[in-house]
Amino acid sequence: MVFFAALLVSLIVICSIIWFVVLLNKNREYFKKIAGPPPVPFFGNVFEVSSTTDLLDVTLKFVREYGGLFKICMGPIRKVIVVSDYKFLEAVLSSTKILNKSYEYNNLRHWLGTGLLTSDGPKWKKRRRVLTPAFHFQILEQFIDVFESNGNKLIKKLRKKIGERGVDIYPFVTLCTLDIICESAMGTSINAQFDDNSEYVRSVKAMCKIIIERLFNILQLTDITFPLTQNYYIQKKSLNILHTHTNNVITRRREELLNKKKTSAPVNEHVVNGVGDYEISTYKNKKAFLDLLLEATVDGRPLTQEEIREEVDTFMFEGHDTTASAISFALYCLANNADAQKKAYEEQLTLFGENKSPHMSYAALQSMKYLEMVIKETLRLYPSVPFYSRETDEEVEINGISIPKGVPIIIFAYGIHRDPTHFKDPEKFNPSRFEEIDGKHPYSYIPFSAGPRNCIGQKFAMLEMKSTISKILRHFELQPASPECRPQLAAEAVLKSTNGIKISLCLRQ
Ligand code: HEM
């Protein structure tokens, strides 16, 4: 008996060693040819890239030392390549073969399942086809009222901050964009701006935090050791709240559609669903993304409850922090660049005169050309998603180099956006540069990614950002915080600033 037990243990140990050695040597020849910072035995380069606050500077330093394509060893086994080289980015992003997401997206799957952002292969293809019509301009046009009404709430809240010398605008903007995406995606209002302590809002915040903390904490990294940490239990509770909320909204909306209960004027119905209180807004002829999902079919059948939930949750995750980061950094840039702010405000005067609350239309938002360049330049300097990644699922050849199956490719958007070969005076905030360069080099300006797996929500995001920023500009003159407060950038799930994004607000007369 003892003999067999010892034999079994020995076999397990031997198999583990073989498995480890196989993984250790996987793609060894390929990685040998790629430059990169020297790894520390066993740990690789993890100590150099172990904090969200150092990540951007350290990676930029590696770009200067090793060029636009280098490797990083994340421990003894996992190696990734980091790319900010134009030709390589073009080949990767435009490829119809490198469409899968890498291991780093696993943490998201607990919340989002395999929705559009996190799915791979044929599933992703089908979902993308189903969801694309939801972003047609005729659909997007319907959301302008949602942007405007939630933007008005934001103005109300910011009015209370007039005269303060350094207002961190990020938390205010985040709650506003959370309200916007909730109403657009689910047709429900959670009123986060006036109830930021609701269970749903707290759970969204908790999940966004845990997803990134797990990437940098050795105990939280794998699902095996994660249950030993407190975050596991916070995640469990948060997921329960988030999934129950979305499920309840879907069920209710499904019933509503079945009963054709739609009315002509917006009706706000107060609903208590056992998870938290929220309001359902129903508009005649107005559709939330959820309605489109309820009507959609895949392979001739309607989407299941779980499939719909995955997509609604994906919009909730991908559609609020990204726009909040971009809007906040744009306001910071305008506050610190008086000329750009003057031009952007003059554009508003030309369009609406002194009217601070004009009726907003799709055409008016489209005609805010200078503001659009301000947003583009902000996203160049402060891309909401500074890193994103792919993984090869078969051997591919790029620029004459053969890349084996299973190689994670980290796309360093922040890096190429600050490359002087593509952007003159890259550190300078200069919206007008887009008059010349717009669309000329589609793979050097990639805040929304590019190619088949680009951001499906970018047009929605641009309209939302224009609506919100233009409203703020018409109401307030933006000034730098006093004393000046430069953002300390942190590459979390989206780009953030550890010391806030601070400006001062003066009421325009
Ligand atoms: C400033 C705002 C935004 C920025 C900078 C941004 C950026 C990005 C980027 C870089 C990707 C590619 C990520 C990757 O490959 O892993 C992406 C994908 C995606 N985005 Fe956005 N995004 C923004 C707003 C939005 C909004 C408002 C929505 C939804 C309404 C949205 C929905 C999505 C979805 C569903 C994907 C996955 C697309 C796919 O894989 O087919 N995004 N976004």
Side-chain angles (χ1 to χ4, degrees), residues 237-413:
K237 189 172 165 219
S238 306
L239 286 177
N240 183 32
I241 291 165
L242 295 172
H243 287 159
T244 311
H245 179 93
T246 314
N247 273 330
N248 285 344
V249 174
I250 298 170
T251 307
R252 191 177 165 81
R253 200 74 172 180
R254 199 192 292 278
E255 282 166 8
E256 263 184 13
L257 277 185
L258 279 175
N259 297 334
K260 299 212 180 330
K261 260 175 60 181
K262 295 193 169 177
T263 52
S264 54
V267 173
N268 290 327
E269 218 181 302
H270 201 221
V271 178
V272 180
N273 71 346
V275 175
D277 291 4
Y278 61 93
E279 286 182 344
I280 301 259
S281 307
T282 323
Y283 298 83
K284 191 182 181 188
N285 299 330
K286 178 173 262 179
K287 287 185 170 164
F289 287 127
L290 170 58
D291 295 330
L292 301 160
L293 290 165
L294 285 165
E295 287 165 5
T297 52
V298 171
D299 299 334
R301 61 161 180 87
L303 293 166
T304 64
Q305 176 91 0
E306 196 187 334
E307 287 170 335
I308 295 177
R309 199 198 71 212
E310 288 177 342
E311 297 309 343
V312 171
D313 285 344
T314 296
F315 287 165
M316 290 303 302
F317 169 73
E318 186 65 24
H320 89 279
D321 251 4
T322 47
T323 44
S325 167
I327 293 170
S328 305
F329 280 113
L331 296 173
Y332 169 81
C333 291
L334 286 168
N336 287 278
N337 292 277
D339 273 4
Q341 183 176 176
K342 191 163 170 269
K343 283 187 194 160
Y345 181 58
E346 278 169 3
E347 184 174 72
Q348 295 301 310
L349 288 177
T350 311
L351 286 169
F352 309 112
E354 297 285 342
N355 189 353
K356 288 190 172 54
S357 307
H359 173 73
M360 196 49 71
S361 67
Y362 185 80
L365 289 174
Q366 289 295 79
S367 59
M368 296 178 189
K369 295 291 175 207
Y370 188 76
L371 184 56
E372 186 163 319
M373 292 196 292
V374 165
I375 294 169
K376 285 182 171 165
E377 179 68 341
T378 303
L379 282 169
R380 182 186 68 79
L381 282 169
Y382 304 102
S384 308
V385 193
F387 294 95
Y388 36 93
S389 63
R390 300 281 170 81
E391 190 162 302
T392 52
D393 69 339
E394 58 180 85
E395 185 171 336
V396 283
E397 201 179 295
I398 296 183
N399 299 337
I401 306 172
S402 176
I403 305 180
K405 181 182 166 181
V407 172
I409 301 170
I410 312 282
I411 291 149
F412 186 34

Side-chain angles (χ1 to χ4, degrees), residues 101 105 116 124 128 318-319 322 388 447-448 453 455-456 460:
K101 295 297 172 77
Y105 291 72
L116 194 63
W124 168 77
R128 182 87 190 195
E318 186 65 24
T322 47
Y388 36 93
F448 294 105
R453 237 185 143 166
C455 173
I456 200 170
F460 175 98

Side-chain angles (χ1 to χ4, degrees), residues 59 97-98 126 178 202 300 313 318 391:
T59 317
K97 284 184 177 168
I98 315 173
K126 282 182 196 164
L178 192 55
R202 274 189 282 133
D313 285 344
E318 186 65 24
E391 190 162 302

Side-chain angles (χ1 to χ4, degrees), residues 83 380 383 385-388 411-418 444 446-447:
V83 180
R380 182 186 68 79
V385 193
F387 294 95
Y388 36 93
I411 291 149
F412 186 34
Y414 182 92
I416 191 155
H417 286 183
R418 288 177 186 242
S444 54
I446 48 172

